[in-house]
Amino acid sequence: MAPRKYSSGNELIKGCVILIDFIIMNMLLVLAAKYFSGIYPKYFTLVPRITLIMANISMIISQSVIGVIIHRRRTTFEEVFLQVVKLCLLQVSIMFVCLRLIGESGGMFRFMVLFLIVEIFVILCSRLIEKLFIRLFRQAGRNTRSVIFIGNDPSILMLYKNLISDSSTGYKVMGYYADADMDNCPKEIHRLGSIRDFNAIADRYAAPSYEDKEHSNPKKQLKISKIDEVFCSLSHDEYDEIVKIMRFCDKNIIHFYYVPRMVGNFLLNLQAEQLGETMVFTNHYEPLSSPFNRFLKRSFDIVVSLIVCIVMLPFIPIIALIIKHQSPGPVFFRQARTGLNGKTFICYKFRSMHVNNDADTLQATKEDPRKFPFGNFIRMTNIDEFPQFFNVLKGDMSIVGPRPHMLTHTEQYGNIIDKYMVRHFSRPGITGYAQVSGCRGETKELWQMEERIQKDIWYIENWTFWLDIKIILKTAVTLFFPDKNAY
């Protein structure tokens, strides 16, 4: 079988991105010399060729050490941002040290700091444009990866949605092999046959007369040659089948991935841990179990909450007057909710409903008669949640985390939803991953709450500082463009 050219398109994209980085850096230096001579170091003006040579050499070294990742299929904005910062920081540092050793330093440090900031900003902007072109390039059918699924576990369907959610990844799903149809399967995914059918193909291409069959059956060969990746989600007791599939993939230079199966409504996402000389696996891993991560998150919570509380002080009397005018009763609504490790705490909100006896048992509905006009407005724009920044300062809550539920909901859903209580391993948040992913409003059906719990657990197991920032930015947008499910 001829070697697959997996990276040909990716290498072309990577080369273009690197070339653009060099063009940006050189243009910034030229523009700085022409239009910002007041801050441009005199030494750079005296030896412009040496300056440009050192700048390009530093970029060559930085690209060889840091490189670019935007051409990869599974990258996040946070990863791209950090890569750009590291690239520019290393490039500017090398350039500064080299020029400092061979010339005068007058005004050089100040200029290099400003140059670093501008370079990071411009290259980040270029990355966004490059990402758009990569998406269009792959949408046109270029530089794509064809994949097949093996198995009909619900985890396959979750993976399919992730693969096609971002067209810039360039994945093309050919179908799946399974002994039975997949439940709730979109019409775009075709069942290609049974596991036995796939084994027949694997046996055919593992046979000694493989070359003869390749030429005598070009249609089958064309089908196999188009497979780039295989995602398998068979049960562990079918290890013979899994091993056979892996061998087939290895022999045909196809990337093999095992997809954790669903147990109930949750992925069996086991994480490896070393316990002495024994490798063990846990069913959930919390990045916030790290002391540094907890310190980083708590420090961010305190700083931001202090700023928000100070900014909010002048507005509290205005909000209080409007609430009092439209509805007699207290300005703040206090409610017992379930917090970290299942402990109860008092959650604060601006009151958005008339005083009633059902506040601790009934969820708000779209046309809830308990809401008054201004209360409806502050609920839609999330303004009613701002007093919870006081909860954050007290340590009861975090800015981002699973939303705290009423005690009645904790008792109700804790008995009927598997892993419901796992969400309490994290400090509850003012906003959360589930909320910015469309899981807001009244939970009329059990599956709606199950979906929220899945997203809450995913957040706990995949926490990063940049994920928090992303969730906060998405929440901020709802202040101006309210979520249709916010009521």
Side-chain angles (χ1 to χ4, degrees):
M1 187 174 186
R4 296 169 181 265
K5 297 182 179 179
Y6 281 117
S7 60
S8 57
N10 276 0
E11 290 301 318
L12 174 62
I13 295 171
K14 180 180 177 181
C16 291
V17 171
I18 292 174
L19 177 61
I20 292 172
D21 288 350
F22 275 90
I23 292 173
I24 288 174
M25 182 200 64
N26 285 277
M27 285 185 62
L28 289 177
L29 286 172
V30 171
L31 291 172
K34 186 174 182 179
Y35 297 105
F36 300 95
S37 57
I39 61 172
Y40 198 72
K42 293 182 179 179
Y43 180 74
F44 288 8
T45 306
L46 295 174
V47 286
R49 290 185 180 179
I50 294 178
T51 300
L52 289 175
I53 289 172
M54 288 300 176
N56 283 277
I57 290 176
S58 65
M59 179 60 84
I60 291 172
I61 297 173
S62 301
Q63 289 286 0
S64 64
V65 174
I66 306 298
V68 297
I69 61 173
I70 194 171
H71 61 291
R72 298 177 186 171
R73 297 177 191 276
R74 292 180 285 268
T75 56
T76 63
F77 174 78
E78 294 85 356
E79 292 172 333
V80 173
F81 174 81
L82 289 175
Q83 181 267 345
V84 169
V85 171
K86 290 189 289 186
L87 176 71
C88 295
L89 185 59
L90 182 59
Q91 184 270 316
V92 170
S93 298
I94 295 173
M95 178 181 170
F96 172 75
V97 171
C98 292
L99 291 173
R100 176 66 183 85
L101 290 174
I102 64 176
E104 300 177 359
S105 61
M108 189 183 297
F109 181 78
R110 183 183 64 169
F111 172 78
M112 295 306 291
V113 171
L114 293 174
F115 182 80
L116 171 63
I117 296 171
V118 174
E119 185 179 48
I120 291 174
F121 175 77
V122 176
I123 291 183
L124 273 177
C125 291
S126 74
R127 289 289 187 271
L128 296 176
I129 298 173
E130 290 157 3
K131 188 73 171 177
L132 174 62
F133 276 99
I134 291 173
R135 176 181 287 108
L136 296 174
F137 184 66
R138 288 172 175 165
Q139 282 178 344
R142 306 294 299 275
N143 189 228
T144 58
R145 284 283 182 91
S146 297
V147 304
I148 63 169
F149 301 131
I150 298 180
N152 58 1
D153 191 79
S155 58
I156 291 289
L157 190 57
M158 290 180 61
L159 176 63
Y160 169 75
K161 293 177 180 178
N162 289 331
L163 291 181
I164 66 170
S165 62
D166 184 0
S167 57
S168 66
T169 58
Y171 282 107
K172 180 182 178 182
V173 177
M174 299 175 67
Y176 71 100
Y177 286 92
D179 291 335
D181 290 336
M182 192 183 307
D183 293 335
N184 301 316
C185 183
K187 61 180 181 180
E188 292 81 10
I189 311 182
H190 303 289
R191 184 180 169 211
L192 304 175
S194 65
I195 302 296
R196 179 178 295 181
D197 294 329
F198 183 84
N199 286 336
I201 296 174
D203 292 338
R204 182 181 300 114
Y205 287 93
S209 55
Y210 169 77
E211 291 294 335
D212 294 335
K213 293 188 177 185
E214 174 185 8
H215 293 291
S216 63
N217 200 342
K219 184 176 181 181
K220 289 289 184 182
Q221 169 61 17
L222 178 64
K223 183 178 180 180
I224 293 301
S225 66
K226 285 186 175 181
I227 300 175
D228 297 315
E229 299 180 3
V230 168
F231 293 90
C232 173
S233 187
L234 299 178
S235 63
H236 288 184
D237 58 5
E238 299 178 271
Y239 60 89
D240 287 337
E241 293 288 354
I242 298 173
V243 171
K244 190 172 185 177
I245 294 167
M246 286 193 292
R247 287 175 177 168
F248 166 78
C249 291
D250 290 343
K251 180 165 287 190
N252 291 279
I253 322 177
I254 297 171
H255 288 281
F256 172 88
Y257 299 93
Y258 183 79
V259 183
R261 290 172 61 82
M262 297 281 283
V263 178
N265 292 318
F266 298 92
L267 279 171
L268 185 59
N269 189 16
L270 301 180
Q271 299 286 335
E273 288 186 6
Q274 194 72 32
L275 189 61
E277 296 181 355
T278 305
M279 182 70 74
V280 298
F281 294 85
T282 179
N283 63 335
H284 57 83
Y285 169 74
E286 306 102 50
L288 287 172
S289 62
S290 163
F292 175 78
N293 288 342
R294 289 201 304 271
F295 171 78
L296 179 63
K297 186 174 177 67
R298 183 60 183 152
S299 299
F300 178 80
D301 284 344
I302 292 173
V303 171
V304 174
S305 296
L306 278 173
I307 295 173
V308 172
C309 288
I310 293 172
V311 172
M312 279 293 297
L313 282 176
F315 297 96
I316 291 177
I318 300 173
I319 295 173
L321 286 173
I322 299 176
I323 292 175
K324 285 285 190 179
H325 175 71
Q326 294 193 357
S327 175
V331 173
F332 296 101
F333 173 68
R334 301 167 72 253
Q335 187 178 63
R337 298 200 178 187
T338 310
L340 180 65
N341 297 323
K343 294 180 180 179
T344 300
F345 73 100
I346 300 301
C347 180
Y348 299 97
K349 300 176 69 173
F350 284 122
R351 186 169 58 85
S352 57
M353 293 184 175
H354 298 295
V355 177
N356 63 91
N357 296 324
D358 299 320
D360 293 332
T361 56
L362 295 181
Q363 285 183 300
T365 59
K366 192 169 185 178
E367 303 296 334
D368 202 313
R370 296 175 296 170
K371 293 185 292 185
F372 51 89
F374 182 68
N376 189 50
F377 169 75
I378 61 176
R379 290 181 71 92
M380 292 178 59
T381 55
N382 294 316
I383 293 175
D384 65 322
E385 310 284 0
F386 273 80
Q388 288 167 33
F389 282 101
F390 291 103
N391 284 115
V392 175
L393 288 176
K394 288 175 58 183
D396 295 329
M397 297 178 65
S398 178
I399 294 176
V400 181
R403 284 292 297 157
H405 289 171
M406 295 185 295
L407 300 185
T408 53
H409 277 177
T410 300
E411 182 178 357
Q412 174 188 354
Y413 291 116
N415 293 325
I416 60 177
I417 297 181
D418 187 26
K419 286 193 174 184
Y420 176 89
M421 299 305 291
V422 173
R423 68 195 304 276
H424 300 117
F425 283 135
S426 174
R427 212 182 298 268
I430 297 175
T431 185
Y433 176 69
Q435 282 62 46
V436 299
S437 301
C439 297
R440 291 196 62 179
E442 185 183 7
T443 50
K444 299 178 181 179
E445 305 290 342
L446 181 62
W447 67 266
Q448 293 174 307
M449 182 59 77
E450 289 176 337
E451 185 178 10
R452 294 187 185 189
I453 304 309
Q454 288 180 13
K455 293 185 183 298
D456 286 341
I457 295 175
W458 183 92
Y459 167 81
I460 293 172
E461 295 179 343
N462 295 272
W463 177 89
T464 65
F465 178 75
W466 294 109
L467 177 60
D468 275 4
I469 298 298
K470 192 174 182 178
I471 292 172
I472 290 170
L473 292 176
K474 285 187 175 183
T475 304
V477 172
T478 62
L479 292 173
F480 308 97
F481 302 98
D483 190 315
K484 63 179 181 181
N485 293 320
Y487 46 80

